[in-house]
Amino acid sequence: MLQDIRENAQSTIAKVIVGLLIVTLSLWGVDAIIGGIAGEPEVATVNGEEITEREFLRLVQLESQSRLSRMETPDPSLLNEDRIRQEVLESLIQQQVLTQDADEQGLALDKADVDALITQMPQFQIDGKFNAERFTTTVRNMGMGVQEFRDALRKQYVINQIRAGIVQSGLVPNENAERLMRIQNQTRDFRTLSVAADSVAEDVEVTDAEIEAFYEDNSQAFQQPEQVDAAYITLSLGALAEGIEVSDEDLQAYYEQRSSDLAREERRAAHILIEDGESADETMATIQERLAAGESFADLAQEFSADAVSAKEGGDLGFAGRGVYDQAFEEALFALDEGELSEPVETSFGVHLIKLEDVRRSEVPALAEIEQQLRSELARERAEDKFIEVRTRLADAAYAADDLAGPAEELGLEIREVEGVTRNGGPAPFDHEGLVRQLFSVDVLEDSYNTELIDVGDSVSVVARVREYREAQQLDLDQVANDIRAQLVAQKTREALQDRAQQVVDGLESGQSLEELGVDGEWIENDAVGRGATGFDLGVVQTVFTMQRPEESGSAYGHSVTADEATVIALDAVNDGEVAEGGAEFKQLAQFLASLEGQREYAAYQEFLRDQADVERP
């Protein structure tokens, strides 16, 4: 059927149909078409509302592709399709239940709200500005229609509003935070003794028979995956900009136009951030009272601010100009005089108290100093419209062509080649999942069509076609014998080190000395080591903090093994951590535990709604 569509794309009948579609879309939008398809089969109903088969199958396909992409060697036969379908259907039912609950609570986004969210998403922007074509193309590359995406965004946003409200309402006793902080800040005194791999080398031997047996038992691991060699065309905004010449007159005019921006004002702000919640107003009032009483803004930032990074610096955010912060934050900051404090400012991050620390203004640099920068900016601006035009022409030409030579010649673009692309990808731009998925699709791989034009980066688009396909091949034993030998040697060495370390531990526990155990080397002492200590092997620290407390009169023993050595550990003491109940660390931990409790409450809330829902499956 796809071949028929391609062959008839230029016919008179096709042009008439496309014309009618354009008229319909321009007058009534996508809904006029989507809404006109009545009687679509459903896979379930939730409280009387349908989950359509089309939506279900699309998500099943996306989930299957996602799982394949995470496999080291993608193999569709390894997918449990029944389980995927079951999990996808259950997730759609759960989403429908939550959406209905949001509707009952009166939470909704109107068309303008959805538009505002979409236009602010970076993936739909070019140079910081919303681009309608980028939006449409990105959504289609996701396998969705525009209206489907808008509906999905609306649903997810209102669901997240309820989730955030419940999560932020979680409460836990301070005793829980104190107990956890004591454990978290705990230190341990221990000694270590290294057992090198050389000491067990004589016990490690790998035979040819073992190599052959390993090869036979793990034959699937020794396959060269299926590969394709491909030709491709890359269209980029940067390349188009490089081909645009900017005259000196245009450069001078652009410099004068940009002069106000070039002489920008920067402000150094400090802030205290309080997360939204029932106690936010009370906490902010307390901070303001203590500031009025003469306490330091920096000290209060360290004590109260939820922005852990800036809190360590007394709330300092450094210098920044316009266009950096949230709009409400920026408006408040640029309305302050130096040294002045703002009133509480609400943003999506929480509630801020802002202090203006300093203001600096730069002079307009001479044109000669920034000439190259301005030439590049102006060329890129002029290239944007050309990029959209050429992208559209390339997409149309590549879709209708039998190769890439015609589109490349028509648009003056270069055809490049790549070899050895697998389903896991290849060198850029074939590290893009969507492009690789297209390359291995039936249309492209078997029917010899070009891929669709895929956006693989910021203002970079690629169309490709397969030149040669190579099936997966079993590698001969001779090709992998050395690798197998090295793997078996490493495995046996680790096992020998494990056995030797355990022998030493058993001997120490029975009262033997290192000399009696035939161990060379001396203990290395480590005092008051914390969980996040650096300079130690991670496995050693993890082992130390999983060992039981030693008895008062002795030590506890354990070991940690890597590929190169074993480390015998003697744990001598466990020191409980200190708790500063009023400190910033304690408050952050308490907030974290409260958030976990809120997440558990939300999970219970989801389960309750699901149990109460009337779900029917045909």
Side-chain angles (χ1 to χ4, degrees):
M1 180 176 179
L2 181 58
Q3 184 175 357
D4 291 338
I5 293 174
R6 290 178 182 267
E7 291 176 351
N8 292 293
Q10 303 302 321
S11 70
T12 303
I13 295 176
K15 293 177 180 178
V16 171
I17 293 174
V18 171
L20 291 173
L21 286 175
I22 292 172
V23 172
T24 303
L25 286 169
S26 64
L27 293 177
W28 296 287
V30 177
D31 288 340
I33 297 175
I34 296 176
I37 304 174
E40 187 174 353
E42 78 268 3
V43 292
T45 59
V46 181
N47 296 324
E49 293 188 16
E50 299 175 351
I51 296 175
T52 66
E53 184 179 47
R54 177 173 177 269
E55 180 182 15
F56 168 69
L57 292 177
R58 179 178 61 80
L59 290 182
V60 167
Q61 181 182 14
L62 289 176
E63 179 62 21
S64 298
Q65 291 170 345
S66 175
R67 297 192 185 192
L68 281 172
S69 70
R70 295 195 295 270
M71 293 182 183
E72 185 174 348
T73 304
D75 184 353
S77 66
L78 298 178
L79 294 177
N80 187 333
E81 295 185 4
D82 290 339
R83 183 173 180 179
I84 292 175
R85 293 169 72 91
Q86 181 181 354
E87 291 176 357
V88 168
L89 180 57
E90 185 56 38
S91 70
L92 285 170
I93 291 172
Q94 186 68 65
Q95 183 187 57
Q96 189 78 290
V97 168
L98 294 171
T99 302
Q100 291 171 357
D101 178 58
D103 290 342
E104 289 178 4
Q105 296 190 43
L107 295 175
L109 290 181
D110 59 23
K111 182 178 181 299
D113 294 329
V114 175
D115 288 342
L117 286 174
I118 290 174
T119 56
Q120 293 172 14
M121 292 182 175
Q123 57 266 47
F124 303 143
Q125 296 179 352
I126 296 177
D127 293 336
K129 296 180 180 179
F130 175 73
N131 182 276
E133 177 145 352
R134 167 66 62 83
F135 166 63
T136 303
T137 302
T138 303
V139 169
R140 287 175 179 169
N141 285 343
M142 293 165 57
M144 301 179 72
V146 170
Q147 190 59 39
E148 280 182 291
F149 179 83
R150 293 175 63 87
D151 290 342
L153 180 64
R154 177 185 60 79
K155 291 178 182 178
Q156 196 58 51
Y157 186 85
V158 295
I159 289 172
N160 286 343
Q161 292 294 96
I162 296 178
R163 178 185 178 279
I166 296 176
V167 169
Q168 291 173 7
S169 67
L171 296 173
V172 294
N174 282 347
E175 291 79 2
N176 292 12
E178 291 174 6
R179 189 181 308 112
L180 184 57
M181 181 164 281
R182 286 194 184 93
I183 296 173
Q184 179 176 299
N185 293 341
Q186 187 184 88
T187 63
R188 299 195 168 199
D189 303 338
F190 62 94
R191 290 168 287 139
T192 59
L193 178 71
S194 295
V195 179
D198 293 344
S199 65
V200 298
E202 294 181 357
D203 302 327
V204 176
E205 181 182 359
V206 176
T207 67
D208 290 342
E210 288 175 319
I211 293 174
E212 186 174 353
F214 188 89
Y215 174 80
E216 295 294 337
D217 293 341
N218 301 274
S219 59
Q220 287 188 340
F222 303 109
Q223 287 188 344
Q224 179 175 289
E226 58 180 331
Q227 299 179 346
V228 297
D229 298 340
Y232 66 100
I233 296 174
T234 299
L235 173 67
S236 73
L237 179 61
L240 290 178
E242 289 177 3
I244 294 178
E245 295 186 4
V246 176
S247 67
D248 291 341
E249 293 77 9
D250 289 345
L251 179 64
Q252 181 65 42
Y254 186 65
Y255 173 71
E256 294 172 0
Q257 174 189 334
R258 289 284 315 281
S259 59
S260 60
D261 296 331
L262 297 171
R264 63 183 306 188
E265 174 186 296
E266 293 184 319
R267 296 192 162 212
R268 183 174 183 175
H271 81 142
I272 299 173
L273 173 64
I274 303 300
E275 293 183 346
D276 283 333
E278 294 181 359
S279 61
D281 291 342
E282 181 181 346
T283 302
M284 184 59 73
T286 300
I287 295 171
Q288 290 176 307
E289 290 174 6
R290 290 173 63 176
L291 284 170
E295 292 194 44
S296 163
F297 186 95
D299 290 344
L300 292 174
Q302 291 179 353
E303 180 178 346
F304 287 100
S305 184
D307 181 354
V309 176
S310 69
K312 294 178 181 178
E313 305 297 328
D316 185 26
L317 295 171
F319 281 99
R322 290 187 179 273
V324 174
Y325 300 119
D326 180 277
Q327 184 176 355
F329 189 103
E330 178 181 297
E331 290 178 357
L333 174 62
F334 279 82
L336 295 174
D337 293 326
E338 191 171 330
E340 188 179 5
L341 288 173
S342 72
E343 292 298 318
V345 177
E346 293 187 16
T347 72
S348 58
F349 300 99
V351 184
H352 308 256
L353 194 62
I354 306 168
K355 181 180 180 182
L356 177 58
E357 300 282 12
D358 195 5
V359 179
R360 68 184 183 191
R361 295 174 179 83
S362 61
E363 298 295 329
V364 180
L367 175 58
E369 295 178 21
I370 56 173
E371 177 179 350
Q372 192 56 48
Q373 171 193 336
L374 294 185
R375 283 189 186 277
S376 298
E377 288 181 7
L378 185 53
R380 191 173 180 88
E381 282 186 14
R382 291 178 174 178
E384 285 180 0
D385 291 339
K386 184 178 180 181
F387 176 80
I388 294 172
E389 174 196 345
V390 175
R391 187 193 180 286
T392 301
R393 290 172 60 193
L394 177 58
D396 293 342
Y399 181 83
D402 294 330
D403 56 24
L404 295 179
E409 182 178 359
E410 176 185 343
L411 299 172
L413 299 172
E414 177 187 359
I415 298 178
R416 303 176 183 178
E417 296 183 1
V418 64
E419 296 181 352
V421 179
T422 70
R423 289 185 183 270
N424 285 332
F430 292 91
D431 53 354
H432 185 273
E433 181 180 342
L435 179 59
V436 173
R437 189 165 57 243
Q438 283 264 325
L439 198 63
F440 280 88
S441 67
V442 173
D443 288 348
V444 178
L445 194 61
E446 298 181 10
D447 298 337
S448 300
Y449 292 120
N450 298 328
T451 68
E452 294 180 14
L453 187 62
I454 304 295
D455 295 320
V456 299
D458 185 18
S459 300
V460 178
S461 303
V462 173
V463 60
R465 70 181 289 109
V466 172
R467 289 208 161 171
E468 183 179 348
Y469 169 76
R470 294 184 291 278
E471 294 182 348
Q473 297 179 350
Q474 182 70 37
L475 297 173
D476 294 334
L477 175 59
D478 292 344
Q479 295 176 276
V480 296
N482 289 336
D483 292 337
I484 295 175
R485 182 182 296 278
Q487 185 174 344
L488 291 177
V489 167
Q491 177 183 322
K492 288 192 172 188
T493 299
R494 191 181 185 99
E495 291 170 354
L497 284 170
Q498 181 85 17
D499 293 341
R500 180 58 176 146
Q502 188 60 53
Q503 289 173 5
V504 175
V505 168
D506 292 342
L508 291 170
E509 289 178 340
S510 66
Q512 292 181 277
S513 67
L514 294 179
E515 184 177 354
E516 291 172 327
L517 292 168
V519 178
D520 294 330
E522 297 181 355
W523 291 108
I524 298 175
E525 295 191 5
N526 306 280
D527 294 331
V529 176
R531 294 177 186 274
T534 58
F536 297 91
D537 178 77
L538 180 60
V540 170
V541 176
Q542 290 177 338
T543 301
V544 166
F545 279 89
T546 57
M547 294 171 63
Q548 296 290 331
R549 286 175 180 263
E551 297 181 0
E552 293 184 5
S553 58
S555 301
Y557 296 98
H559 65 268
S560 173
V561 180
T562 67
D564 301 322
E565 67 176 4
T567 303
V568 178
I569 302 166
L571 177 60
D572 298 321
V574 175
N575 315 305
D576 287 338
E578 296 181 359
V579 177
E581 188 168 336
E585 185 181 4
F586 178 85
K587 290 186 176 181
Q588 289 175 4
L589 181 59
Q591 290 173 352
F592 172 72
L593 293 177
S595 175
L596 288 181
E597 180 61 27
Q599 291 175 29
R600 283 192 287 269
E601 291 175 2
Y602 180 68
Y605 181 72
Q606 284 182 293
E607 186 176 353
F608 169 77
L609 291 177
R610 176 66 177 84
D611 291 342
Q612 297 298 310
D614 179 15
V615 178
E616 295 183 4
R617 307 185 189 190

